[in-house]
Amino acid sequence: MSHKKENTDVLVQLCLQGKQSAQLEIYNRYYKAMYNTSLRIVKDSAEAEDVMQESFLNAFTKLHTFKGEVTFGSWLKRIVINNSIYHYRKQRKKNEVDLDDVMYKVEDNDGVVSDHDHAITELKAQKVMETMNLLKDNYRVSLTLHLIEGYDYEEISKIMDISYANCRTTISRAKQSLRNKLTIAY
């Protein structure tokens, strides 16, 4: 039975009933976004794939704890980010990994990017991401979560297990450090 047109909430209920086809549909809907989220944190594609797979297993195993207070996608993304940070920290202890370069698109005021502007913007974005990789680990992680993933200070403070005030200070200092490094680079 195909579940392609089913609402995610219906699919979650079917997953709770043990329907593997519903689990497969949930996986197919979310795996690319969850992989990209993990990849931005762990930097290694194979590791990101492992984290993503592990996160789906965790989600399906603990689906009964999903209360529906947030969207399923947000709940799953939180699992992926937590697992990614855990793996990142574990690898960092072994001095094996940095955060990934994150590519993003910048649009002009009309929401349009010309080929020429796009090429220039891509070079600037690449420079910013390369420079972000030079930041201290906590700066890099906090900026990635805030600027790229879109989390607010409260969410980041919970994810990174730091106080709200410390989170605001860390992000502020990370932005200033990034500005300083970019000024020196240009």
Side-chain angles (χ1 to χ4, degrees):
M1 179 175 157
S2 175
H3 296 289
K4 289 189 190 258
K5 294 184 181 183
E6 297 279 352
N7 180 305
T8 302
D9 295 334
V10 173
L11 288 173
V12 168
Q13 291 305 314
L14 291 171
C15 288
L16 284 168
Q17 297 170 14
K19 305 281 187 198
Q20 290 184 348
S21 59
Q23 289 179 341
L24 180 61
E25 182 59 29
I26 292 260
Y27 178 85
N28 287 334
R29 287 184 185 186
Y30 290 99
Y31 81 92
K32 287 180 186 173
M34 297 306 127
Y35 169 79
N36 288 331
T37 296
S38 181
L39 184 60
R40 285 194 280 277
I41 295 171
V42 299
K43 189 176 181 177
D44 179 71
S45 62
E47 185 71 21
E49 180 78 24
D50 290 345
V51 168
M52 188 240 342
Q53 295 289 342
E54 180 183 318
S55 297
F56 271 101
L57 286 173
N58 290 352
F60 289 135
T61 303
K62 298 181 183 195
L63 195 54
H64 63 281
T65 67
F66 175 62
K67 304 284 187 239
E69 295 167 352
V70 295
T71 65
F72 177 79
S74 296
W75 183 75
L76 180 61
K77 189 174 189 180
R78 176 58 59 102
I79 292 171
V80 171
I81 287 174
N82 288 342
N83 283 344
S84 297
I85 289 174
Y86 170 78
H87 282 274
Y88 171 73
R89 286 179 176 159
K90 194 166 101 176
Q91 288 176 340
R92 189 177 67 181
K93 286 180 183 177
K94 297 176 188 177
N95 294 324
E96 293 178 354
V97 90
D98 290 71
L99 276 182
D100 188 16
D101 289 344
V102 181
M103 295 305 296
Y104 56 90
K105 180 175 153 182
V106 178
E107 298 174 344
D108 67 13
N109 292 336
D110 299 326
V112 178
V113 179
S114 71
D115 289 340
H116 177 65
D117 290 343
H118 183 70
I120 291 171
T121 300
E122 223 173 273
L123 287 173
K124 287 180 181 178
Q126 183 178 1
K127 185 64 180 169
V128 169
M129 297 317 303
E130 287 171 1
T131 306
M132 273 183 69
N133 281 332
L134 301 175
L135 297 175
K136 294 185 339 184
D137 291 339
N138 62 332
Y139 286 1
R140 188 170 41 236
V141 170
S142 63
L143 277 182
T144 297
L145 291 172
H146 185 61
L147 299 176
I148 312 276
E149 295 298 328
Y151 284 99
D152 63 27
Y153 295 126
E154 188 175 324
E155 292 170 318
I156 295 168
S157 64
K158 288 177 184 173
I159 291 169
M160 294 182 68
D161 196 26
I162 57 177
S163 71
Y164 181 84
N166 189 5
C167 176
R168 289 181 57 103
T169 301
T170 300
I171 291 173
S172 176
R173 289 179 181 169
K175 287 178 181 178
Q176 188 57 48
S177 180
L178 182 61
R179 278 188 214 103
N180 292 344
K181 289 183 184 311
L182 286 170
T183 303
I184 293 169
Y186 287 109

